[in-house]
Amino acid sequence: MADIISLGGLQIASRDELGKAMEGGGCAASSCGSKAGPADMDPAVWAKVKDHPCYSEEAHHYFARMHVAVAPACNIQCNYCNRKYDCANESRPGVVSERLTPEQAARKVLAVAAEVPQLSVLGIAGPGDAAYDWRKTRATFDLVQKQLPDIKLCLSSNGLAMPDHVDEIVAMNIDHVTLTINTLDPEVGAKIYPWIFFRGKRHEGVEAATILLQRQMESLDMLVARGVLVKVNSVLIPGINDEGMLELNKVVKAKGAFLHNIMPLISDPAHGTHFGLTGQRGPSAAELKAVQDACGDGANLMRHCRQCRADAVGMLGEDRGQEFTLDKLPEVVGDDGGKRAAYRDWVTREREDRRAAADAAQAEAADVAAPPMLVAVCTKGGGRINQHFGHATEFQIYEVDASGVRFVTHRRADNYCVGGHGEGETLSEIIRTLEGVPVVLCARVGDGPRAKMAAAGIEVIDACAQDYIETAILDLYAARHRKGALTA
Amino acid sequence: MAYKIVKSQCTACGACEFECPNAAIKFKGEAYIIDPDKCTECAGQADSPQCVSVCPVPKTCVPA
């Protein structure tokens, strides 16, 4: 679990000091969202996404989001969803530990904002449907907007109730909305949605899926027309909606969706969902990547989604929700936004620096004629290689070739360092997880694990500790193909 | 005649509360309860009891 450093009590006098404070802190997320940077995006759009960890691949290295579970009611039933059970160790959409009233939620946001200078976004993602349970969603946004005008607002919905609230959403300056759209075919929809509740009636089967699809398309068109950035989430369900995913990607892109996030079905029988109980399997990592790659030139794909809980707090890939439960919230929170402003200033300069370093490294690697290589990175955020191999709960996987570095995906690895000594079994799990990835870059690694990993054909390098991710990978790639192996 | 909510199955999602045309449903303790004096079973107000239609858990809003 990465710590988000609290800058409380720190006198941030200079960027260097903040840089020092950041070492050993930050996010353990991999990238989420568009790869595009300011150079290749409309400035108005860039301004909206640059600090949103889910909309900008780069932003998720620097910024945190939080969800508040104020909207438990839902107007549809999905076969992959069950909101009945909560387990603190479970991370999947629809799961929450406690439901909050809008007032409680606003207090929680204030408390988190005071503790976590990286916070930039408040999202309402249920655990039901934020647009259907609209009164609570709106009340929460109203309260937060008054108290924290610098926090962006966003929400997610299945789209069924969304058209009724689009104008209010625009009026409240909510400029990011996620719509979950799983299929364009009502016959397929009938296999995913057993029923919907619409205008006072329950509908089932193809009829229900037809109404839902029509409302989803209406929502997408209305939101795009009003300049709201729309992310479309699709759950990839092998044998059910995988065939139509490419077409869906083309359609949502043509309609102006900013991002398309194709997520794997989570169907553990223990979750008690219909798909879990009927043995419907989720896609393998390879199947998911194949579908994502096929959609590569469609809508910008988000590849770093962590499918987080409806009460997640922190950087993507970590969840600090347990630190901010109701019983731990202070009654009165003093927060002037100063720390967030200082942090954002620092990020602005840091990003420029990181880009310049990456561009310079890119020039070095541009004439390498070699096949692409996969590299795994251990990071706690800030876009740097700053995590101990044994502390990594996930690896961020990048692909590098002469044309540059691209984030590919993240792969989970259960924390291997337990109480200071590695456990062999977990190491074997990591070796399996890293199949096809010959190199790991981390801040530190013990001799034992390094040797075991090397025996499995995976080189763990800690020589570029604290370097920028892209720069280190490009340098490594260029060095490998110029003068043989780089020794760690 | 009125409906009731099976407490052990209620997920406390609250959908029934604001779909109820009679404001007969409110949160109490760990689940929602239906006030039998206010519940009309939606007779004359909707095709079927609204709490049943919107409840995500089968057989949870049932005739009392």
Side-chain angles (χ1 to χ4, degrees):
Chain A
M1 210 26 73
D3 305 323
I4 288 194
I5 42 141
S6 166
L7 297 178
L10 278 174
Q11 293 299 314
I12 303 165
S14 70
R15 184 179 169 199
D16 287 351
E17 278 188 28
L18 190 54
K20 282 199 196 84
M22 279 292 295
E23 283 179 24
C27 100
S30 72
S31 54
C32 188
S34 170
K35 271 303 285 180
D40 39 20
M41 206 187 279
D42 168 354
V45 173
W46 174 244
K48 280 184 191 172
V49 302
K50 73 181 177 67
D51 296 350
H52 195 312
C54 308
Y55 281 71
S56 153
E57 199 265 300
E58 196 194 44
H60 95 278
H61 290 282
Y62 299 109
F63 291 102
R65 52 76 183 103
M66 71 180 290
H67 290 166
V68 285
V70 294
C74 196
N75 49 353
I76 72 172
Q77 180 62 52
C78 301
N79 280 331
Y80 49 71
C81 179
N82 179 358
R83 302 186 301 281
K84 193 166 164 58
Y85 305 106
D86 160 54
C87 162
N89 299 319
E90 235 173 62
S91 190
R92 58 187 170 95
V95 171
V96 295
S97 293
E98 52 187 4
R99 296 178 182 83
L100 305 176
T101 64
E103 293 70 25
Q104 291 168 328
R107 233 175 71 215
K108 181 171 176 172
V109 179
L110 272 179
V112 172
E115 280 293 312
V116 181
Q118 293 92 328
L119 185 72
S120 65
V121 177
L122 166 69
I124 296 181
D129 188 86
Y132 173 63
D133 213 342
W134 176 245
R135 281 178 310 176
K136 297 193 204 106
T137 299
R138 190 185 55 202
T140 306
F141 282 151
D142 277 340
L143 288 166
V144 171
Q145 209 160 31
K146 278 194 200 87
Q147 294 165 316
L148 295 166
D150 63 305
I151 298 292
K152 285 184 197 305
L153 305 175
C154 87
L155 65 93
S156 71
S157 166
N158 58 52
L160 186 59
M162 179 64 74
D164 304 339
H165 306 297
V166 167
D167 289 327
E168 285 172 281
I169 283 168
V170 173
M172 293 175 79
N173 295 323
I174 298 169
D175 46 19
H176 301 76
V177 169
T178 296
L179 291 172
T180 300
I181 305 176
N182 291 315
T183 178
L184 295 169
D185 180 351
E187 298 281 343
V188 174
K191 297 178 190 167
I192 302 173
Y193 311 107
W195 56 263
I196 69 167
F197 180 78
F198 184 61
R199 303 265 188 263
K201 270 187 73 176
R202 193 189 270 227
H203 303 263
E204 292 172 356
V206 175
E207 184 207 3
T210 305
I211 297 169
L212 179 62
L213 178 66
Q214 186 243 318
R215 296 282 286 181
Q216 287 171 334
M217 292 298 128
E218 200 181 329
S219 304
L220 180 54
D221 291 340
M222 288 172 84
L223 290 162
V224 170
R226 288 158 178 76
V228 175
L229 290 179
V230 180
K231 171 159 73 75
V232 172
N233 281 0
S234 303
V235 180
L236 185 66
I237 311 163
I240 292 190
N241 71 345
D242 45 355
E243 297 284 312
M245 202 50 83
L246 196 56
E247 171 73 4
L248 176 63
N249 175 266
K250 285 201 181 93
V251 169
V252 300
K253 191 195 177 199
K255 285 182 174 282
F258 178 75
L259 268 184
H260 190 196
N261 175 22
I262 302 171
M263 307 177 291
L265 170 73
I266 298 173
S267 63
D268 185 328
H271 300 158
T273 63
H274 175 81
F275 281 150
L277 297 173
T278 54
Q280 169 63 49
R281 69 175 183 90
S284 68
E287 285 172 324
L288 178 67
K289 188 172 186 299
V291 172
Q292 287 176 331
D293 288 349
C295 297
D297 55 357
N300 264 325
L301 287 190
M302 169 175 178
R303 292 173 186 257
H304 61 300
C305 176
R306 298 301 195 288
Q307 296 175 279
C308 60
R309 298 161 55 107
D311 58 3
V313 175
M315 310 295 276
L316 306 186
E318 70 165 3
D319 192 353
R320 303 178 64 198
Q322 298 303 314
E323 294 170 50
F324 297 99
T325 49
L326 267 186
D327 56 330
K328 298 192 181 104
L329 296 183
E331 277 303 320
V332 181
V333 181
D335 171 50
D336 61 356
K339 281 185 284 192
R340 285 194 302 284
Y343 178 75
R344 286 170 200 178
D345 287 346
W346 175 81
V347 168
T348 304
R349 290 191 299 269
E350 181 77 0
R351 278 175 144 167
E352 284 165 13
D353 197 45
R354 181 177 163 197
R355 268 200 209 109
D359 289 347
Q362 173 69 51
E364 289 292 307
D367 55 353
V368 173
M373 176 170 83
L374 292 178
V375 177
V377 173
C378 304
T379 176
K380 290 194 287 192
R384 292 177 184 270
I385 296 163
N386 54 7
Q387 191 174 38
H388 189 297
F389 177 77
H391 296 172
T393 50
E394 62 175 25
F395 296 96
Q396 300 197 16
I397 313 291
Y398 288 81
E399 185 175 50
V400 57
D401 59 21
S403 66
V405 179
R406 294 166 299 281
F407 171 82
V408 180
T409 185
H410 55 90
R411 297 190 192 170
R412 283 205 62 83
D414 282 298
N415 208 343
Y416 138 82
C417 224
V418 185
H421 59 87
E423 293 189 358
E425 207 172 298
T426 321
L427 204 51
S428 317
E429 186 56 40
I430 288 175
I431 290 166
R432 270 197 299 278
T433 298
L434 290 175
E435 191 189 342
V437 183
V439 181
V440 180
L441 301 179
C442 62
R444 287 222 24 228
V445 60
D447 290 340
R450 190 204 307 262
K452 286 200 184 96
M453 294 293 286
I458 302 173
E459 189 179 0
V460 185
I461 300 173
D462 57 7
C464 19
Q466 305 307 330
D467 288 358
Y468 288 125
I469 294 169
E470 292 82 0
T471 317
I473 293 174
L474 285 161
D475 286 350
L476 173 80
Y477 186 70
R480 288 258 152 132
H481 295 289
R482 284 229 177 72
K483 48 185 187 300
L486 180 90
T487 46
Chain B
M1 289 304 291
Y3 271 65
K4 65 171 184 183
I5 295 170
V6 181
K7 185 178 158 187
S8 62
Q9 302 191 124
C10 173
T11 65
C13 85
C16 57
E17 182 187 23
F18 71 72
E19 293 298 346
C20 176
N22 307 305
I25 302 179
K26 62 176 192 289
F27 193 66
K28 191 176 174 197
E30 292 169 16
Y32 283 87
I33 54 164
I34 298 178
D35 180 342
D37 297 336
K38 290 185 181 169
C39 175
T40 60
E41 298 194 3
C42 296
Q45 295 162 295
D47 294 348
S48 63
Q50 294 291 278
C51 54
V52 179
S53 295
V54 75
C55 180
V57 190
K59 298 183 187 139
T60 298
C61 299
V62 293

